[in-house]
Amino acid sequence: MKRVCTDCGRTSPTAGPWRCSCGSPLALQALPRLPATPPALDRDAGLWACDGFVPVARQVTLGEGWTPLIDSERGIQYKLEHLFPTGSFKDRGAAVVISRAVERGADRVLEDSSGNAGLAIATYAARAGIDAEIFVPSDATPSKIRAIEGTGATVRQIDGSRRAVTDACIGAVERGDGYYASHAWDPLFLAGTATFALEVLAQRDWTAPDAVVTPLGHGTLFLGAEQGFQRLYRAGWIDSLPRCYGVQASGVAPIAAARGNERDAARNDVADGIQIADPVRRRQILDAIETTVGDAIAVTAGETERAHERLRGEGLVVEPTSATAVAGVARLRERGAIADGEDVVVPLTGRNGTTIR
Ligand SMILES: [Zn+2]
């Protein structure tokens, strides 16, 4: 499957480089055509429940997919993404990216992430019998490093900024040390997270919610979900597109700032999982907001902590970063962006790192 640059429009072959020669990220071109009405889905096939939806054959699985969608108060439904095998929605992307790595005959994958993406890639690589090398900041939480090492992956701790970690990983990719299984750069990761949209709609009997509110760092869930909704809307499986809202951590909220919505610059370190100063797919995220008539906002540490407490009170034990989206719904209702009585779907994205620090 060909890939196209999200900036200059040049195409790259399937087995080509991991980014465009202009330096921008790639998107998949011409995904398989879907039938005019939803077919019967085979839920035992997990993310591969719908023929042609995921553009890579399943080569590796840990039984991921079809997380529960449960009702909360006032029209909110939570999708329990923290119940995935490695504890976050990142398994959607990792299962697909590692399946492609298997097809390509990779014997070593490289990734840079100190959090859930690194753990998901390392775990699925282990499942596929592929070596993994994960680059992390040297000040990453010891428990996260131990979790990644527990899969048998090699962890490379890099001093300096988050940028230095990515540069070290890219250096290894350019030297030919391994296949770049990148959650931020590989468009197949988004093809995996797009299954979030397929599942939500199937679980709602093909009725789109009015809004979907997700945490927003690199935008791997936000963009995958939006692309999935777009695809099913174009196929005619739903009558309307949900408005897509992304919620960032105050102080590190480039998309909310670009939308003129960063009102509090104090750093929200409770939501450490989405502190991405320079998201790789910034332009695509802003386009997705425009297309779906959504928005991006930033929430404070206090708002995140209160939402986290509220979730615990409902029996939902998730990582604090997950609570940003719940805090975001409250804020969006307060602003009138989401009206009372509107249907909202919120993913609870992770269960790793459940201690507030
Ligand atoms: Zn380009």
Side-chain angles (χ1 to χ4, degrees), residues 52-77:
F53 191 78
V54 174
V56 181
R58 179 163 75 170
Q59 305 288 351
V60 57
T61 182
L62 287 163
E64 62 288 324
W66 297 100
T67 53
L69 184 70
I70 65 166
D71 291 329
S72 180
E73 39 84 51
R74 295 173 69 200
I76 298 181
Q77 290 181 306

Side-chain angles (χ1 to χ4, degrees), residues 5-10 20-26:
C5 178
T6 56
D7 187 26
C8 73
R10 249 176 297 204
C20 179
S21 52
C22 79
S24 295
L26 300 167

Side-chain angles (χ1 to χ4, degrees), residues 96 109 183 315 321:
V96 176
V109 295
H183 69 292
T321 299

